[in-house]
Amino acid sequence: MIIRDETQADHGDIRSLNQAAFGGGYEAALVDRLRSEELVRASLVAVEGDVIVGHILFSALSVTMDGWTVRAAALAPLAVAPALQRRGIGSALVRSGLDSVTAQGFEAVFVLGHTAYYPRFGFSAAAASKLASHYAGDAFMALDLTPDALRGTVGTVTYPDAFEAD
Ligand SMILES: CC(C)(COP(=O)(O)OP(=O)(O)OC[C@H]1O[C@@H](n2cnc3c(N)ncnc32)[C@H](O)[C@@H]1OP(=O)(O)O)[C@@H](O)C(=O)NCCC(=O)NCCS
């Protein structure tokens, strides 16, 4: 299995993978909307042979903390082919994706996801708790990529319209 950046030729397979993993069309459409709004900052695929078995996407996110802009990314979606889950593919994608956004200078990543899954990568609801968001709650988690990126008192996370369901 290798992990690489997506290419345009992968778009159809990525769409099918997201539909299969999530059992619906919201995430596949989200990927399309993020692309068309030029918000994608990392979109990686896991490939076995010539088959795409996993996908992760990071997009630009508007975050302020104590009036300052935090350079932040949203992790969404993350999908692994249903028959190949629990073999480490998702974890490998998360780690490669975090390396990519760190190398691009991002300071923090936010995710709305499984509370039993993302803490293993360092995400926590506590780190996101000072930030007001449409998605605030236990499943809304953050990870500092640079020390104390979210050290302020109060902040706001504003997801782009691309995240709104049709
Ligand atoms: C969530 C998902 C991306 C994980 O990918 P994966 O390749 O199966 O995960 P890994 O093999 O890297 O990690 C396996 C671990 O994740 C845990 N895990 C997998 N799916 C989980 C879930 N829905 N909730 C909590 N934990 C989960 C497993 O229990 C396992 O834990 P362990 O290491 O303690 O045994 C994958 O299951 C998937 O595509 N699910 C459907 C789509 C989805 O829910 N995406 C995430 C949205 S936030």
Side-chain angles (χ1 to χ4, degrees):
M1 193 260 295
I2 62 150
I3 293 177
R4 60 164 173 78
D5 290 327
E6 72 163 31
T7 68
Q8 193 152 6
D10 299 326
H11 288 187
D13 290 344
I14 291 171
R15 189 172 298 119
S16 301
L17 175 70
N18 275 291
Q19 285 170 340
F22 287 97
Y26 169 78
E27 287 78 11
L30 170 63
V31 171
D32 289 340
R33 288 194 293 267
L34 290 168
R35 283 197 194 108
S36 65
E37 293 178 24
E38 299 187 352
L39 291 169
V40 176
R41 297 296 177 267
S43 182
L44 306 179
V45 288
V47 184
E48 283 187 359
D50 58 359
V51 178
I52 291 179
V53 297
H55 171 247
I56 192 168
L57 192 147
F58 293 79
S59 56
L61 190 59
S62 173
V63 176
T64 59
M65 194 86 196
D66 290 352
W68 296 93
T69 298
V70 179
R71 194 153 177 234
L75 189 178
L78 166 65
V80 173
L84 299 174
Q85 292 175 1
R86 307 200 168 204
R87 286 182 16 189
I89 296 170
S91 297
L93 282 164
V94 172
R95 295 203 169 93
S96 293
L98 291 175
D99 286 348
S100 173
V101 291
T102 301
Q104 293 177 55
F106 282 93
E107 300 170 297
V109 175
F110 288 79
V111 67
L112 181 74
H114 303 301
T115 55
Y117 189 64
Y118 290 99
R120 71 189 66 197
F121 309 107
F123 286 90
S124 74
S129 62
K130 288 181 288 185
L131 293 115
S133 164
H134 180 65
Y135 297 114
D138 289 348
F140 185 57
M141 293 170 269
L143 170 66
D144 286 15
L145 298 177
T146 58
D148 297 330
L150 301 171
R151 70 184 170 285
T153 310
V154 61
T156 305
V157 180
T158 308
Y159 276 76
D161 291 344
F163 280 83
E164 300 291 332
D166 288 331

